[in-house]
Amino acid sequence: MSNNRVIIAGGGIGGLTMALTLHQIGVECIICEASHEMKPLGVGVNVQPNAVRELFDLGIGAEDLDTVGLPAREWALVGLNGKEVYAEPRGTEAGYNWPQYAVSRGDFHMLLYRKVVERLGPEAVRLGTRVTGYSVEDDGVVARLRKADGSDAELRGRLLIGADGIHSAVRAQMHPDQAPIHWGGAVMWRGTVRAEPIRTESSFIGLGTHRHRMVIYPISRAGADGKALINWIAEVTMDNSDGWQQDGWFKSATVDDFIHHFDEFRYDWLDVPKLLAKADCAYQNPMIDRDPVPTWVDRTVALMGDAAHAMYPTGSNGASQAIVDARVIGAKMLEHGVTPAALAAYDSDLCGPVSDLVLRNRGAGPFGLLNLLDERSGGVFDDIDEVIAPAERAEFMASYKAAAGFSIKTLNAAPATIPPGVGNNPKAFGSG
């Protein structure tokens, strides 16, 4: 066993970024992924400028990201009457030094996986291997494993990073009294459709009310026919007093299951029922998160990504925060070595503010402007400036971006998380 080997539980976006970061700074690692096969799953996801910056520093540049999505140009909220509530440029057009990307979640995940295999070798990922728990030892940690054939095994390392998602076994052991998964009543149907982009060639559009809305944005460039692959999310908030009564949290659906909720979403610039009727696929899942916990660390074990801070997608920053988590852990290892002190420093920096972000997103995140609109006018208006003043709208969004870690001035001025020139030194931390 390498004295400094880090075990990563989970091969999702966060776990793969963690592996690439550890490889960059010269730390041996191994990913234990429960799936028997890596395959593209999910529809659209946004990667915010703070996370794109980290990907660029990992050597995953625009030429890579352009193969799985496209830069976002605009973020817009539109009221139930089809009129604009708020709009702003995004990425480099907003003044960031880095773009924001709207990508196919599955294609992006597979891009990261290919990079891990290319750089670390295929043996760095153990498929069909689930981390079910851990034991902390004086000089490291033992991860308990369940293999594809049902047998149990153990794996020793210096540290264990729990990147095993909202149903994390690592978190369940670290916080055995944690509250159940939280569902606030919103149900989402997700899918894609080939259609012409709306407003710009790459606009994120939130349409409706805080309890009844559509989200629409392209995740590919338009082809010769003028059509792009459009990601859509249809969302309705229901009575949640009895909790989630269906089996499972994610399942295939048909458009007929929910299209009636959006019969009135017809405007001169968009016919939502017509758009949904042409969908390539549809999936249903409740909008869920977990209550924050006081710490993400148990000595030689740390949580990251959804295992640490599963959050509502209202801010489009769940995947981005997982990427940032990985990079901060790497930076703390550069400072403290592959030690519990590095994990403690990561926890100290991020657990509190990101936990606050979880609760902010639960309160509708940037879509909170639609809450204000509903409170003040029932969602109906002729002149939005008379309902929510321009300065108030701008301040609301600036406050959210600051909380989410992608304030333009702050991000542009911040030093690199992993200093330039650090890379692939296998003796970076000695023998431990």
Side-chain angles (χ1 to χ4, degrees):
M1 183 193 81
S2 170
N3 287 336
N4 278 337
R5 179 168 62 190
V6 174
I7 303 165
I8 302 169
I13 289 171
L16 293 171
T17 306
M18 187 75 257
L20 290 168
T21 297
L22 292 174
H23 177 259
Q24 182 184 30
I25 66 173
V27 176
E28 182 186 352
C29 67
I30 188 164
I31 296 174
C32 296
E33 164 56 39
S35 300
H36 297 180
E37 176 188 4
M38 283 290 198
K39 54 186 177 180
L41 297 172
V43 280
V45 66
N46 270 267
V47 186
Q48 301 290 352
N50 57 335
V52 172
R53 174 197 198 210
E54 302 298 344
L55 294 173
F56 281 14
D57 287 351
L58 268 173
I60 301 172
E63 66 280 2
D64 293 307
L65 296 177
D66 285 342
T67 67
V68 300
L70 76 167
R73 294 190 57 197
E74 182 190 43
W75 191 90
L77 284 181
V78 180
L80 193 58
N81 56 5
K83 295 183 178 181
E84 182 180 294
V85 176
Y86 178 84
E88 66 177 21
R90 281 295 171 106
T92 55
E93 295 191 21
Y96 289 100
N97 292 340
W98 305 271
Q100 174 178 327
Y101 265 83
V103 301
S104 160
R105 193 265 176 209
D107 291 344
F108 178 53
H109 181 224
M110 294 305 292
L111 169 65
L112 294 177
Y113 178 55
R114 289 194 299 273
K115 296 293 184 181
V116 168
V117 172
E118 290 169 6
R119 298 179 187 183
L120 283 72
E123 68 281 356
V125 183
R126 294 189 183 181
L127 297 174
T129 305
R130 182 187 302 275
V131 174
T132 59
Y134 64 88
S135 300
V136 174
E137 297 188 340
D138 290 340
D139 61 346
V141 65
V142 176
R144 295 191 293 274
L145 311 177
R146 176 66 53 82
K147 295 185 176 182
D149 61 6
S151 64
D152 294 324
E154 292 183 343
L155 183 63
R156 284 175 167 77
R158 177 59 60 89
L159 302 175
L160 170 64
I161 308 296
D164 48 343
I166 192 170
H167 303 290
S168 169
V170 178
R171 175 176 169 132
Q173 178 174 338
M174 189 181 296
H175 296 285
D177 297 324
Q178 68 176 335
I181 287 175
H182 171 266
W183 174 52
V187 177
M188 298 183 293
W189 294 270
R190 302 169 178 254
T192 56
V193 62
R194 291 284 304 179
E196 294 182 2
I198 303 167
R199 292 177 65 101
T200 74
E201 68 268 23
S202 184
S203 289
F204 177 107
I205 300 166
L207 162 66
T209 75
H210 63 298
R211 297 177 62 85
H212 183 199
R213 65 177 178 238
M214 291 288 303
V215 170
I216 303 167
Y217 59 91
I219 55 175
S220 79
R221 297 183 187 274
D225 60 356
K227 295 182 179 180
L229 188 63
I230 305 294
N231 178 83
W232 55 263
I233 304 170
E235 179 188 324
V236 177
T237 299
M238 304 176 177
D239 178 13
N240 68 332
S241 57
D242 293 328
W244 185 247
Q245 297 297 307
Q246 300 186 38
D247 292 333
W249 300 99
F250 187 88
K251 67 178 184 179
S252 295
T254 65
V255 171
D256 289 342
D257 294 337
F258 61 90
I259 195 171
H260 59 281
H261 292 296
F262 300 92
D263 283 343
E264 304 303 317
F265 282 50
R266 301 175 192 266
Y267 314 98
D268 56 4
W269 55 276
L270 172 68
D271 185 323
V272 169
K274 184 178 179 181
L275 181 79
L276 292 175
K278 298 178 181 179
D280 305 319
C281 58
Y283 304 95
Q284 177 191 295
N285 64 284
M287 187 183 291
I288 54 178
D289 66 3
R290 281 199 180 275
D291 290 347
V293 288
T295 180
W296 299 340
V297 168
D298 178 7
R299 296 163 289 176
T300 56
V301 182
L303 305 173
M304 66 170 292
D306 281 354
H309 49 68
M311 62 181 77
Y312 283 5
T314 51
S316 300
N317 51 13
S320 298
Q321 187 59 52
I323 291 167
V324 171
D325 291 351
R327 303 295 286 167
V328 172
I329 292 171
K332 298 306 182 184
M333 288 186 187
L334 284 174
E335 183 178 356
H336 299 282
V338 187
T339 66
L343 301 186
Y346 151 74
D347 191 50
S348 177
D349 277 8
L350 293 188
C351 182
V354 178
S355 294
D356 290 344
L357 183 62
V358 170
L359 299 180
R360 186 184 286 254
N361 279 0
R362 187 181 289 183
F367 284 92
L369 279 175
L370 296 179
N371 297 36
L372 287 177
L373 180 66
D374 186 63
E375 291 169 4
R376 297 179 185 182
S377 69
V380 178
F381 61 93
D382 292 320
D383 184 351
I384 188 60
D385 291 350
E386 295 180 357
V387 183
I388 310 174
E392 185 179 4
R393 301 198 302 272
E395 173 57 29
F396 186 97
M397 287 303 301
S399 175
Y400 183 82
K401 282 184 275 192
F406 55 97
S407 168
I408 297 174
K409 290 183 179 179
T410 302
L411 181 61
N412 284 351
T417 307
I418 304 291
V422 172
N424 301 329
N425 177 10
K427 297 182 179 178
F429 304 105
S431 64

Short mmCIF file of all heavy atoms in Angstrom, two decimals, residues 208-235:
data_model
loop_
_atom_site.label_atom_id
_atom_site.label_comp_id
_atom_site.label_asym_id
_atom_site.label_seq_id
_atom_site.Cartn_x
_atom_site.Cartn_y
_atom_site.Cartn_z
N GLY A 208 -42.45 31.27 -15.62
CA GLY A 208 -43.61 30.89 -14.83
C GLY A 208 -43.62 31.52 -13.47
O GLY A 208 -43.36 32.71 -13.30
N THR A 209 -43.91 30.71 -12.44
CA THR A 209 -43.93 31.18 -11.06
C THR A 209 -42.98 30.30 -10.24
O THR A 209 -42.44 29.31 -10.73
CB THR A 209 -45.34 31.08 -10.46
OG1 THR A 209 -45.65 29.70 -10.17
CG2 THR A 209 -46.40 31.62 -11.41
N HIS A 210 -42.82 30.68 -8.98
CA HIS A 210 -41.92 29.90 -8.13
C HIS A 210 -42.50 28.52 -7.80
O HIS A 210 -41.78 27.65 -7.32
CB HIS A 210 -41.60 30.66 -6.85
CG HIS A 210 -42.79 30.92 -5.96
ND1 HIS A 210 -43.86 31.68 -6.36
CD2 HIS A 210 -43.07 30.51 -4.70
CE1 HIS A 210 -44.75 31.74 -5.37
NE2 HIS A 210 -44.31 31.03 -4.36
N ARG A 211 -43.78 28.30 -8.07
CA ARG A 211 -44.39 27.00 -7.79
C ARG A 211 -44.83 26.25 -9.06
O ARG A 211 -45.31 25.14 -8.98
CB ARG A 211 -45.62 27.19 -6.89
CG ARG A 211 -45.30 27.76 -5.52
CD ARG A 211 -46.57 27.98 -4.69
NE ARG A 211 -47.27 26.73 -4.45
CZ ARG A 211 -46.99 25.89 -3.45
NH1 ARG A 211 -46.00 26.17 -2.61
NH2 ARG A 211 -47.68 24.79 -3.28
N HIS A 212 -44.64 26.87 -10.20
CA HIS A 212 -45.17 26.29 -11.45
C HIS A 212 -44.35 26.89 -12.60
O HIS A 212 -44.63 28.00 -13.05
CB HIS A 212 -46.64 26.67 -11.57
CG HIS A 212 -47.33 26.09 -12.76
ND1 HIS A 212 -48.51 26.59 -13.25
CD2 HIS A 212 -47.02 25.05 -13.58
CE1 HIS A 212 -48.90 25.89 -14.31
NE2 HIS A 212 -48.00 24.95 -14.53
N ARG A 213 -43.32 26.19 -13.05
CA ARG A 213 -42.41 26.83 -13.99
C ARG A 213 -41.77 25.84 -14.95
O ARG A 213 -41.77 24.64 -14.73
CB ARG A 213 -41.33 27.62 -13.26
CG ARG A 213 -40.37 26.78 -12.41
CD ARG A 213 -39.30 27.67 -11.79
NE ARG A 213 -38.39 26.90 -10.95
CZ ARG A 213 -38.19 27.13 -9.66
NH1 ARG A 213 -38.85 28.10 -9.05
NH2 ARG A 213 -37.33 26.40 -8.97
N MET A 214 -41.17 26.43 -15.99
CA MET A 214 -40.34 25.72 -16.95
C MET A 214 -38.94 26.31 -16.92
O MET A 214 -38.77 27.52 -16.74
CB MET A 214 -40.89 25.87 -18.37
CG MET A 214 -42.19 25.17 -18.65
SD MET A 214 -42.03 23.37 -18.75
CE MET A 214 -40.80 23.17 -20.05
N VAL A 215 -37.95 25.46 -17.12
CA VAL A 215 -36.58 25.90 -17.36
C VAL A 215 -36.17 25.32 -18.71
O VAL A 215 -36.37 24.14 -18.97
CB VAL A 215 -35.61 25.42 -16.25
CG1 VAL A 215 -34.17 25.67 -16.64
CG2 VAL A 215 -35.94 26.10 -14.93
N ILE A 216 -35.60 26.17 -19.57
CA ILE A 216 -35.27 25.77 -20.94
C ILE A 216 -33.91 26.35 -21.30
O ILE A 216 -33.69 27.56 -21.13
CB ILE A 216 -36.34 26.29 -21.93
CG1 ILE A 216 -37.73 25.80 -21.55
CG2 ILE A 216 -36.00 25.88 -23.36
CD1 ILE A 216 -38.87 26.51 -22.28
N TYR A 217 -33.00 25.49 -21.79
CA TYR A 217 -31.74 26.02 -22.31
C TYR A 217 -31.08 24.97 -23.22
O TYR A 217 -31.25 23.77 -23.01
CB TYR A 217 -30.78 26.41 -21.18
CG TYR A 217 -30.39 25.32 -20.21
CD1 TYR A 217 -29.26 24.52 -20.43
CD2 TYR A 217 -31.13 25.11 -19.05
CE1 TYR A 217 -28.89 23.54 -19.52
CE2 TYR A 217 -30.77 24.12 -18.14
CZ TYR A 217 -29.65 23.34 -18.38
OH TYR A 217 -29.29 22.36 -17.48
N PRO A 218 -30.33 25.43 -24.24
CA PRO A 218 -29.68 24.49 -25.15
C PRO A 218 -28.42 23.90 -24.53
O PRO A 218 -27.73 24.56 -23.75
CB PRO A 218 -29.35 25.34 -26.37
CG PRO A 218 -29.23 26.72 -25.84
CD PRO A 218 -30.18 26.82 -24.68
N ILE A 219 -28.11 22.65 -24.91
CA ILE A 219 -26.88 22.00 -24.46
C ILE A 219 -26.05 21.53 -25.66
O ILE A 219 -25.14 20.73 -25.51
CB ILE A 219 -27.17 20.83 -23.49
CG1 ILE A 219 -28.13 19.82 -24.10
CG2 ILE A 219 -27.70 21.36 -22.17
CD1 ILE A 219 -28.37 18.58 -23.22
N SER A 220 -26.38 22.07 -26.83
CA SER A 220 -25.56 21.85 -28.02
C SER A 220 -25.71 23.07 -28.91
O SER A 220 -26.67 23.84 -28.78
CB SER A 220 -25.99 20.59 -28.78
OG SER A 220 -27.14 20.84 -29.57
N ARG A 221 -24.78 23.25 -29.81
CA ARG A 221 -24.91 24.30 -30.80
C ARG A 221 -25.96 23.89 -31.84
O ARG A 221 -26.20 22.71 -32.07
CB ARG A 221 -23.56 24.55 -31.47
CG ARG A 221 -22.49 25.04 -30.51
CD ARG A 221 -21.18 25.36 -31.21
NE ARG A 221 -20.15 25.67 -30.24
CZ ARG A 221 -19.94 26.87 -29.72
NH1 ARG A 221 -20.73 27.88 -30.08
NH2 ARG A 221 -18.97 27.08 -28.84
N ALA A 222 -26.55 24.87 -32.47
CA ALA A 222 -27.55 24.59 -33.50
C ALA A 222 -26.88 23.99 -34.73
O ALA A 222 -25.77 24.36 -35.11
CB ALA A 222 -28.29 25.87 -33.87
N GLY A 223 -27.58 23.05 -35.34
CA GLY A 223 -27.08 22.43 -36.55
C GLY A 223 -27.48 23.21 -37.79
O GLY A 223 -28.00 24.33 -37.70
N ALA A 224 -27.28 22.61 -38.94
CA ALA A 224 -27.60 23.26 -40.21
C ALA A 224 -29.09 23.58 -40.32
O ALA A 224 -29.48 24.52 -41.02
CB ALA A 224 -27.16 22.37 -41.36
N ASP A 225 -29.91 22.81 -39.61
CA ASP A 225 -31.36 23.05 -39.65
C ASP A 225 -31.80 24.13 -38.66
O ASP A 225 -33.00 24.41 -38.53
CB ASP A 225 -32.12 21.76 -39.37
CG ASP A 225 -31.81 21.16 -38.00
OD1 ASP A 225 -30.93 21.71 -37.29
OD2 ASP A 225 -32.43 20.14 -37.65
N GLY A 226 -30.84 24.74 -37.95
CA GLY A 226 -31.16 25.78 -36.99
C GLY A 226 -31.60 25.27 -35.64
O GLY A 226 -31.89 26.05 -34.73
N LYS A 227 -31.63 23.94 -35.47
CA LYS A 227 -32.11 23.35 -34.21
C LYS A 227 -30.94 22.86 -33.37
O LYS A 227 -29.93 22.37 -33.89
CB LYS A 227 -33.07 22.21 -34.49
CG LYS A 227 -34.36 22.67 -35.17
CD LYS A 227 -35.32 21.50 -35.40
CE LYS A 227 -36.61 21.97 -36.04
NZ LYS A 227 -37.55 20.85 -36.26
N ALA A 228 -31.10 22.98 -32.06
CA ALA A 228 -30.12 22.50 -31.09
C ALA A 228 -30.80 21.48 -30.18
O ALA A 228 -32.02 21.33 -30.18
CB ALA A 228 -29.58 23.67 -30.27
N LEU A 229 -29.99 20.77 -29.40
CA LEU A 229 -30.55 19.91 -28.37
C LEU A 229 -30.89 20.78 -27.16
O LEU A 229 -30.00 21.40 -26.57
CB LEU A 229 -29.55 18.82 -27.98
CG LEU A 229 -30.09 17.72 -27.05
CD1 LEU A 229 -31.22 16.94 -27.72
CD2 LEU A 229 -28.97 16.78 -26.62
N ILE A 230 -32.17 20.86 -26.85
CA ILE A 230 -32.65 21.74 -25.79
C ILE A 230 -32.96 20.92 -24.54
O ILE A 230 -33.70 19.93 -24.60
CB ILE A 230 -33.93 22.49 -26.23
CG1 ILE A 230 -33.70 23.24 -27.55
CG2 ILE A 230 -34.40 23.42 -25.13
CD1 ILE A 230 -32.72 24.37 -27.48
N ASN A 231 -32.39 21.33 -23.43
CA ASN A 231 -32.72 20.74 -22.13
C ASN A 231 -33.93 21.48 -21.57
O ASN A 231 -33.99 22.71 -21.59
CB ASN A 231 -31.53 20.90 -21.19
CG ASN A 231 -31.82 20.34 -19.80
OD1 ASN A 231 -31.69 19.15 -19.57
ND2 ASN A 231 -32.19 21.20 -18.86
N TRP A 232 -34.90 20.74 -21.07
CA TRP A 232 -36.05 21.37 -20.44
C TRP A 232 -36.36 20.70 -19.09
O TRP A 232 -36.11 19.52 -18.89
CB TRP A 232 -37.30 21.31 -21.34
CG TRP A 232 -37.68 19.92 -21.81
CD1 TRP A 232 -37.37 19.34 -23.00
CD2 TRP A 232 -38.43 18.94 -21.07
NE1 TRP A 232 -37.87 18.06 -23.06
CE2 TRP A 232 -38.52 17.79 -21.89
CE3 TRP A 232 -39.01 18.91 -19.81
CZ2 TRP A 232 -39.19 16.63 -21.49
CZ3 TRP A 232 -39.68 17.75 -19.40
CH2 TRP A 232 -39.76 16.63 -20.24
N ILE A 233 -36.88 21.50 -18.18
CA ILE A 233 -37.33 21.01 -16.88
C ILE A 233 -38.72 21.60 -16.64
O ILE A 233 -38.90 22.82 -16.69
CB ILE A 233 -36.40 21.44 -15.73
CG1 ILE A 233 -34.97 20.97 -15.99
CG2 ILE A 233 -36.91 20.90 -14.39
CD1 ILE A 233 -33.96 21.56 -15.01
N ALA A 234 -39.70 20.75 -16.44
CA ALA A 234 -41.05 21.17 -16.10
C ALA A 234 -41.27 20.89 -14.62
O ALA A 234 -41.03 19.77 -14.15
CB ALA A 234 -42.07 20.39 -16.95
N GLU A 235 -41.72 21.89 -13.89
CA GLU A 235 -41.75 21.76 -12.43
C GLU A 235 -43.09 22.24 -11.87
O GLU A 235 -43.59 23.30 -12.24
CB GLU A 235 -40.62 22.58 -11.82
CG GLU A 235 -40.55 22.55 -10.31
CD GLU A 235 -39.53 23.55 -9.78
OE1 GLU A 235 -38.48 23.72 -10.44
OE2 GLU A 235 -39.79 24.14 -8.72
#
